[in-house]
Amino acid sequence: MLLLRRSALVILWVLAGLGVASGAVWAATAAGMIKPLIVISGSMEPGIMTGDLLIATKVDAASLVAGDVVSLDSELTNNLVTHRIVRITPVGDGSFTVTMKGDNNAFEDALDYTITGDVWKPSMQLAGAGTLVSRLSTPAVAIPLMIGLVALLGITLLFPAGTARDEDEDEENDDDAPTDDDSAEDSAASATKELAHA
């Protein structure tokens, strides 16, 4: 039981750590500091693979140059498109016209992008993490995980730390308790003393 409880505690601590990390990512995303992006196509392979997780941060549009990989809003899909800049041209009012192309695509994107101010630029890439996040967020996986978490919590509550200590103390007491051999030796010693005094 002690081993079972310790294993449950280790798993709970790992899950708690993941929960804290997820909370930090959610808070940073809600504050507009980062934007997690799951790659859903192979247009940037082999550099960026389908299923990778990108963490994008804001950069000034004026700092971008041809060759940078950025995530820009597409008028065609109404989603962010993460491709490489082929050309960037100042418009004159502080905005820029950007032509992009996926590394694995034969042609440039159908429409140019007009940007100004800050834009999203991937600053971290976690291989395969996007697939993991997608699967964990599906009910078929999330519900069993929650049930398992509740079960682990139940194990730690059913076998509290005090019980484990009591078991250890009982084992120590058993080690210190006199055995039949010890009793026999004590009796023999007492008999020898009595004979010596006789």
Side-chain angles (χ1 to χ4, degrees):
M1 291 299 181
L2 184 59
L3 178 60
L4 180 62
R5 182 180 182 279
R6 286 178 178 171
S7 300
L9 279 175
V10 169
I11 296 172
L12 282 175
W13 275 111
V14 171
L15 292 176
L18 291 174
V20 170
S22 298
V25 170
W26 176 85
T29 302
M33 299 170 60
I34 64 172
K35 182 178 283 295
L37 303 169
I38 297 175
V39 180
I40 60 174
S41 76
S43 63
M44 286 295 290
E45 293 182 357
I48 300 176
M49 302 295 292
T50 303
D52 286 355
L53 178 65
L54 305 178
I55 306 298
T57 54
K58 288 182 177 180
V59 298
D60 187 358
S63 68
L64 298 176
V65 296
D68 286 341
V69 175
V70 292
S71 300
L72 303 179
D73 286 307
S74 170
E75 294 181 4
L76 288 176
T77 63
N78 292 321
N79 290 318
L80 287 175
V81 173
T82 302
H83 281 169
R84 193 176 302 278
I85 296 176
V86 177
R87 290 182 299 278
I88 179 166
T89 306
V91 175
D93 58 353
S95 60
F96 300 83
T97 299
V98 177
T99 302
M100 296 205 301
K101 174 182 174 297
D103 291 350
N104 199 33
N105 290 348
F107 304 101
E108 297 173 353
D109 294 359
L111 296 178
D112 287 340
Y113 304 80
T114 300
I115 60 173
T116 185
D118 292 333
V119 297
W120 294 108
K121 182 178 181 181
S123 57
M124 183 183 298
Q125 179 179 351
L126 303 174
T131 300
L132 179 62
V133 171
S134 296
R135 289 180 179 173
L136 288 177
S137 61
T138 60
V141 177
I143 292 174
L145 279 177
M146 289 301 297
I147 294 173
L149 181 61
V150 172
L152 289 173
L153 186 60
I155 290 172
T156 59
L157 293 176
L158 286 174
F159 305 104
T163 302
R165 284 197 296 270
D166 292 342
E167 289 176 358
D168 293 340
E169 290 175 1
D170 290 342
E171 290 177 1
E172 291 175 1
N173 291 336
D174 290 342
D175 292 338
D176 295 337
T179 61
D180 293 338
D181 293 338
D182 293 336
S183 299
E185 290 176 3
D186 291 342
S187 299
S190 299
T192 303
K193 288 180 181 178
E194 289 176 0
L195 287 174
H197 288 298

